[in-house]
Amino acid sequence: MEMIYVDHAATSPLHPEVIEAMLPYYQTVFGNPSSIHQIGRQARQAIDQARRTIAKKLGTSDQNLVFTSGGTEADNMAILGYALEHELNGKHIITSQIEHHAVLHACEELEKRGFDVTYLPVDETGRVSVNDVQEALRDDTILVTLMFGNNEVATVQPIKEIGDVLKGHQAAFHTDAVQACGVIELNVSELPVDMLSISAHKINGPKGIGLLYVRNGVKLRPVLFGGEQERKRRAGTENVAAIVGFAKAMEIAVDSIEERQELYQQFSKILIDTWTKEEVIFSINGHQHERLPHVVNVSFRGVNIESLLMNLDLTGIAASSGSACTAGSIEPSHVLVAMFGKADERIQSAIRFSFGLGNTVEQIQRVANETAQIVKRLGQQSEFIS
């Protein structure tokens, strides 16, 4: 039985060209990039070249990129590093209720250290109000951290408009762009952000590597202590092979964005058209237009989502009910709760399909058909039981 993977928002398979690019740095050029001998210098050159490649794809200078162990560390570095460095200017931070837990838990940690955090609500599409941001701003606000595109429902936030609101204010602007990177264009020279987090394993790169873009002049307090790597901003021996793989994955992803956007839109249409034809009762969660193209979050009324996921898995289809970082949690999605409220039935029947490398039209058609049949079967069972 062919396995169909439609959980690319959780993690993505390594692109074959990424594996090929990484192998030499495991086998022959394995030196410590801080060493002065030839193998060490070759490793350092590989990092420098990878940093330049990624910087070019992001529209910035290589000096503005700090490699981290992933998106979580990049978010923590931005939030904790900035807040602790600038707390004499104020201790107020603004974020939203639908952020990734790497952001929410970092903010909660700062609250324990005496900071005041405002958690902005979102509307039913998952969008933050620009007016709410403006009204939440205070003289002592030092940081606004809002995700670019949501990892569960795909809604894209009004980043440019929020940046306009922050012009002339002391607050720095950080965005978690982990889910957006590689599926929509990110040019930091045109974005009104001071810091931006991304992660390689969402774009067919290796796990364990990410980065934080830091605009010129933005000062951060280190959150790791040790050596003087990354211009003294992030201690620890660099993961050379992963950095090389990250650069290759970034190159491939950015160069194929338009082609993949069209394909993912076709995939979404197949799902929606099939379920409509099969007379399945469903609702799409998230903004219908301002959204990431590779994620479809949908609620099937009256269907137990765990049963649906298990039945899909038995047919060889791997999907999810939300963020992989909260897998196994008995709590409902904090994103959907923020959008709909705790009592809404959509929260208990929401499933996420996310597309990526290896998916085909034939696969997505099978996903659509299998889902429709399972939903109708489970729906009939629940009606019979009730």
Coordinates of all heavy atoms in Angstrom, one line a residue, residues 253-300:
A253 N 13.7 25.8 -2.8 CA 12.4 26.3 -2.4 C 12.0 27.6 -3.0 O 11.0 27.8 -3.6 CB 12.3 26.3 -0.9
V254 N 12.9 28.6 -2.9 CA 12.7 29.9 -3.4 C 12.6 29.9 -4.9 O 11.7 30.6 -5.4 CB 13.8 30.9 -2.9 CG1 13.6 32.3 -3.5 CG2 13.7 31.0 -1.4
D255 N 13.4 29.2 -5.6 CA 13.4 29.2 -7.0 C 12.2 28.5 -7.6 O 11.9 28.7 -8.8 CB 14.7 28.5 -7.6 CG 15.9 29.3 -7.3 OD1 15.8 30.5 -6.9 OD2 17.0 28.8 -7.5
S256 N 11.4 27.7 -6.8 CA 10.3 27.0 -7.3 C 9.0 27.5 -6.7 O 7.9 26.8 -6.8 CB 10.5 25.5 -7.1 OG 10.5 25.2 -5.7
I257 N 9.0 28.6 -6.0 CA 7.8 29.1 -5.3 C 6.5 29.2 -6.2 O 5.5 28.6 -5.9 CB 8.0 30.4 -4.6 CG1 8.8 30.1 -3.3 CG2 6.7 31.1 -4.3 CD1 9.1 31.4 -2.5
E258 N 6.6 29.8 -7.3 CA 5.5 30.1 -8.1 C 4.9 28.8 -8.7 O 3.7 28.6 -8.7 CB 5.8 31.0 -9.3 CG 6.1 32.4 -8.9 CD 6.4 33.3 -10.1 OE1 6.2 32.9 -11.2 OE2 6.7 34.5 -9.9
E259 N 5.8 27.9 -9.1 CA 5.3 26.6 -9.6 C 4.6 25.8 -8.5 O 3.5 25.2 -8.8 CB 6.5 25.8 -10.1 CG 6.3 24.4 -10.5 CD 7.6 23.6 -10.8 OE1 8.6 24.3 -11.1 OE2 7.6 22.4 -10.7
R260 N 5.1 25.8 -7.3 CA 4.5 25.0 -6.2 C 3.2 25.7 -5.7 O 2.3 25.0 -5.3 CB 5.5 24.8 -5.1 CG 6.6 23.8 -5.5 CD 7.6 23.5 -4.4 NE 8.3 24.7 -4.0 CZ 8.2 25.4 -2.9 NH1 7.3 25.0 -2.0 NH2 8.9 26.4 -2.7
Q261 N 3.2 27.0 -5.7 CA 1.9 27.7 -5.3 C 0.8 27.2 -6.2 O -0.3 26.9 -5.7 CB 2.1 29.2 -5.4 CG 2.9 29.8 -4.3 CD 3.2 31.3 -4.4 OE1 3.0 31.8 -5.5 NE2 3.5 31.9 -3.4
E262 N 1.0 27.2 -7.5 CA 0.0 26.8 -8.5 C -0.4 25.3 -8.2 O -1.6 25.0 -8.2 CB 0.5 26.9 -9.9 CG 0.7 28.3 -10.4 CD 1.1 28.5 -11.8 OE1 1.2 27.4 -12.5 OE2 1.5 29.6 -12.2
L263 N 0.6 24.5 -7.9 CA 0.3 23.0 -7.7 C -0.6 22.9 -6.4 O -1.5 22.1 -6.4 CB 1.6 22.3 -7.6 CG 1.4 20.7 -7.4 CD1 0.7 20.1 -8.6 CD2 2.8 20.1 -7.2
Y264 N -0.2 23.6 -5.4 CA -0.9 23.5 -4.1 C -2.3 24.0 -4.2 O -3.2 23.5 -3.6 CB -0.1 24.2 -3.0 CG 1.3 23.7 -2.7 CD1 2.3 24.5 -2.2 CD2 1.6 22.4 -3.1 CE1 3.5 24.0 -1.9 CE2 2.9 21.9 -2.9 CZ 3.9 22.7 -2.3 OH 5.1 22.2 -2.1
Q265 N -2.5 25.1 -5.0 CA -3.9 25.6 -5.2 C -4.7 24.5 -5.9 O -5.9 24.4 -5.6 CB -3.8 26.9 -6.0 CG -3.2 28.0 -5.1 CD -2.9 29.2 -6.0 OE1 -3.0 29.2 -7.2 NE2 -2.3 30.3 -5.3
Q266 N -4.1 23.8 -6.8 CA -4.8 22.7 -7.5 C -5.2 21.6 -6.6 O -6.3 21.1 -6.6 CB -3.9 22.2 -8.7 CG -4.6 21.1 -9.5 CD -3.7 20.6 -10.6 OE1 -2.5 21.0 -10.7 NE2 -4.2 19.6 -11.4
F267 N -4.2 21.3 -5.7 CA -4.5 20.3 -4.6 C -5.7 20.7 -3.8 O -6.6 19.9 -3.5 CB -3.3 20.0 -3.8 CG -2.1 19.4 -4.5 CD1 -0.9 19.3 -3.9 CD2 -2.3 18.7 -5.7 CE1 0.2 18.7 -4.5 CE2 -1.2 18.1 -6.3 CZ 0.0 18.1 -5.7
S268 N -5.7 21.9 -3.3 CA -6.8 22.4 -2.5 C -8.1 22.3 -3.2 O -9.1 21.9 -2.6 CB -6.5 23.9 -2.1 OG -5.3 24.0 -1.3
K269 N -8.1 22.7 -4.5 CA -9.3 22.6 -5.3 C -9.9 21.2 -5.4 O -11.1 20.9 -5.3 CB -9.1 23.2 -6.6 CG -10.4 23.4 -7.5 CD -10.1 24.1 -8.8 CE -11.3 24.5 -9.5 NZ -12.1 23.3 -9.9
I270 N -8.9 20.2 -5.6 CA -9.3 18.8 -5.7 C -10.1 18.4 -4.4 O -11.1 17.7 -4.4 CB -8.1 17.9 -5.9 CG1 -7.6 18.1 -7.3 CG2 -8.4 16.5 -5.7 CD1 -6.3 17.5 -7.6
L271 N -9.5 18.7 -3.2 CA -10.1 18.4 -2.0 C -11.5 19.0 -1.9 O -12.5 18.2 -1.6 CB -9.2 18.8 -0.8 CG -7.9 18.2 -0.6 CD1 -7.2 18.8 0.6 CD2 -7.9 16.7 -0.5
I272 N -11.6 20.3 -2.0 CA -12.9 21.0 -1.8 C -13.9 20.5 -2.9 O -15.1 20.2 -2.5 CB -12.6 22.5 -1.9 CG1 -11.8 22.9 -0.7 CG2 -14.0 23.2 -1.9 CD1 -11.3 24.3 -0.8
D273 N -13.5 20.4 -4.1 CA -14.5 20.0 -5.1 C -15.0 18.5 -4.9 O -16.2 18.2 -5.1 CB -13.8 20.0 -6.5 CG -13.7 21.5 -7.0 OD1 -14.2 22.4 -6.3 OD2 -13.0 21.7 -8.0
T274 N -14.1 17.7 -4.5 CA -14.5 16.3 -4.2 C -15.4 16.2 -3.0 O -16.5 15.5 -3.1 CB -13.2 15.4 -3.9 OG1 -12.4 15.5 -5.1 CG2 -13.6 14.0 -3.7
W275 N -15.1 16.9 -2.0 CA -16.0 16.8 -0.8 C -17.4 17.4 -1.1 O -18.4 16.9 -0.6 CB -15.4 17.5 0.4 CG -14.1 16.9 0.9 CD1 -13.8 15.5 0.7 CD2 -13.0 17.5 1.5 NE1 -12.5 15.3 1.2 CE2 -12.0 16.5 1.7 CE3 -12.7 18.8 1.8 CZ2 -10.8 16.8 2.3 CZ3 -11.5 19.1 2.4 CH2 -10.5 18.1 2.7
T276 N -17.4 18.5 -1.9 CA -18.6 19.1 -2.3 C -19.5 18.1 -3.1 O -20.7 18.0 -2.9 CB -18.4 20.4 -3.1 OG1 -17.6 21.3 -2.3 CG2 -19.7 21.1 -3.4
K277 N -18.8 17.5 -4.1 CA -19.5 16.5 -4.9 C -20.0 15.3 -4.1 O -21.1 14.8 -4.4 CB -18.5 16.0 -6.0 CG -19.1 15.0 -7.0 CD -18.1 14.5 -8.0 CE -18.7 13.5 -8.9 NZ -17.7 13.0 -9.9
E278 N -19.3 14.9 -3.1 CA -19.7 13.8 -2.3 C -20.7 14.2 -1.2 O -21.1 13.4 -0.4 CB -18.5 13.2 -1.6 CG -17.5 12.5 -2.6 CD -18.1 11.2 -3.2 OE1 -19.0 10.6 -2.5 OE2 -17.8 10.8 -4.3
E279 N -21.1 15.5 -1.2 CA -22.1 16.0 -0.2 C -21.6 15.8 1.2 O -22.4 15.5 2.1 CB -23.4 15.4 -0.5 CG -24.0 15.7 -1.9 CD -25.4 15.1 -2.1 OE1 -25.8 14.3 -1.3 OE2 -26.0 15.6 -3.0
V280 N -20.3 16.0 1.4 CA -19.8 16.0 2.8 C -20.0 17.3 3.4 O -19.8 18.4 2.7 CB -18.3 15.6 2.8 CG1 -17.7 15.8 4.1 CG2 -18.1 14.2 2.3
I281 N -20.4 17.4 4.6 CA -20.6 18.7 5.3 C -19.2 19.1 5.9 O -18.7 18.4 6.8 CB -21.6 18.6 6.4 CG1 -23.0 18.1 5.8 CG2 -21.8 19.9 7.2 CD1 -24.1 17.9 6.8
F282 N -18.7 20.2 5.5 CA -17.4 20.6 6.0 C -17.3 22.1 6.0 O -18.1 22.8 5.3 CB -16.2 20.0 5.1 CG -16.2 20.5 3.7 CD1 -15.3 21.6 3.4 CD2 -17.0 20.0 2.7 CE1 -15.3 22.1 2.1 CE2 -16.9 20.5 1.4 CZ -16.1 21.6 1.1
S283 N -16.3 22.7 6.7 CA -16.0 24.1 6.7 C -14.5 24.3 6.7 O -13.8 23.6 7.4 CB -16.7 24.8 7.8 OG -16.2 24.3 9.1
I284 N -14.0 25.2 5.9 CA -12.6 25.5 5.8 C -12.3 26.5 6.9 O -12.9 27.5 7.0 CB -12.2 26.1 4.4 CG1 -12.5 25.1 3.3 CG2 -10.7 26.4 4.4 CD1 -11.8 23.8 3.4
N285 N -11.3 26.2 7.7 CA -10.8 27.1 8.8 C -9.7 28.0 8.3 O -8.8 27.5 7.7 CB -10.4 26.3 10.0 CG -11.5 25.4 10.5 OD1 -12.7 25.8 10.5 ND2 -11.2 24.1 10.9
G286 N -9.7 29.2 8.7 CA -8.7 30.2 8.3 C -9.2 31.1 7.2 O -10.3 31.0 6.7
H287 N -8.3 32.1 7.0 CA -8.7 33.1 6.0 C -8.8 32.5 4.6 O -7.9 31.7 4.2 CB -7.7 34.3 6.0 CG -8.2 35.6 5.5 ND1 -8.4 35.8 4.1 CD2 -8.6 36.7 6.1 CE1 -8.8 37.0 3.9 NE2 -9.0 37.6 5.1
Q288 N -9.7 32.9 3.8 CA -9.9 32.3 2.5 C -9.0 32.8 1.4 O -8.8 32.2 0.4 CB -11.4 32.5 2.0 CG -12.4 31.8 2.9 CD -12.1 30.3 3.1 OE1 -12.1 29.6 2.1 NE2 -11.8 29.9 4.3
H289 N -8.4 34.0 1.6 CA -7.6 34.6 0.6 C -6.2 34.9 1.2 O -5.2 34.6 0.5 CB -8.2 35.9 0.1 CG -9.6 35.8 -0.4 ND1 -9.9 35.0 -1.5 CD2 -10.8 36.2 0.1 CE1 -11.2 35.0 -1.7 NE2 -11.8 35.7 -0.8
E290 N -6.1 35.5 2.3 CA -4.7 35.8 2.9 C -4.3 34.5 3.7 O -4.4 34.4 4.9 CB -4.8 37.0 3.9 CG -5.3 38.3 3.2 CD -4.3 38.7 2.1 OE1 -3.1 38.5 2.3 OE2 -4.8 39.4 1.2
R291 N -3.7 33.6 2.9 CA -3.4 32.3 3.5 C -2.1 31.7 2.8 O -1.8 32.0 1.7 CB -4.6 31.4 3.4 CG -5.0 31.1 2.0 CD -6.2 30.1 1.9 NE -6.0 28.9 2.5 CZ -6.5 28.5 3.7 NH1 -7.3 29.3 4.3 NH2 -6.3 27.3 4.2
L292 N -1.5 30.8 3.5 CA -0.4 30.0 2.9 C -1.0 29.0 2.0 O -2.0 28.3 2.3 CB 0.4 29.3 4.0 CG 1.0 30.2 5.1 CD1 1.7 29.4 6.2 CD2 2.0 31.2 4.5
P293 N -0.4 28.7 0.9 CA -1.1 27.9 -0.2 C -1.0 26.4 0.1 O -1.7 25.6 -0.5 CB -0.3 28.2 -1.4 CG 1.1 28.6 -1.0 CD 0.8 29.3 0.3
H294 N -0.2 25.9 1.0 CA 0.1 24.5 1.2 C -0.7 23.8 2.3 O -0.5 22.7 2.5 CB 1.6 24.2 1.3 CG 2.2 24.7 2.6 ND1 2.0 26.0 3.1 CD2 2.9 24.1 3.6 CE1 2.6 26.1 4.2 NE2 3.1 25.0 4.6
V295 N -1.5 24.6 3.0 CA -2.2 24.1 4.2 C -3.7 24.3 4.0 O -4.2 25.3 3.6 CB -1.8 24.8 5.5 CG1 -2.6 24.3 6.7 CG2 -0.3 24.5 5.7
V296 N -4.5 23.2 4.2 CA -5.9 23.2 4.3 C -6.4 22.6 5.6 O -6.2 21.5 5.9 CB -6.5 22.4 3.1 CG1 -8.1 22.3 3.3 CG2 -6.2 23.0 1.8
N297 N -7.0 23.5 6.5 CA -7.5 23.1 7.7 C -9.0 23.0 7.6 O -9.6 24.0 7.3 CB -7.1 24.0 8.8 CG -7.4 23.5 10.2 OD1 -8.6 23.3 10.6 ND2 -6.4 23.3 11.1
V298 N -9.6 21.9 7.9 CA -11.0 21.7 7.6 C -11.7 21.0 8.8 O -11.1 20.1 9.4 CB -11.3 20.9 6.3 CG1 -10.5 19.6 6.3 CG2 -12.7 20.7 5.9
S299 N -12.9 21.4 9.1 CA -13.7 20.7 10.1 C -14.9 20.0 9.4 O -15.5 20.5 8.6 CB -14.3 21.8 11.1 OG -13.3 22.3 11.9
F300 N -15.0 18.7 9.9 CA -16.1 17.8 9.4 C -17.1 17.7 10.5 O -16.8 17.0 11.5 CB -15.6 16.5 8.9 CG -14.6 16.6 7.7 CD1 -13.3 16.5 7.9 CD2 -15.1 16.7 6.5 CE1 -12.4 16.5 6.8 CE2 -14.3 16.8 5.4 CZ -12.9 16.7 5.5

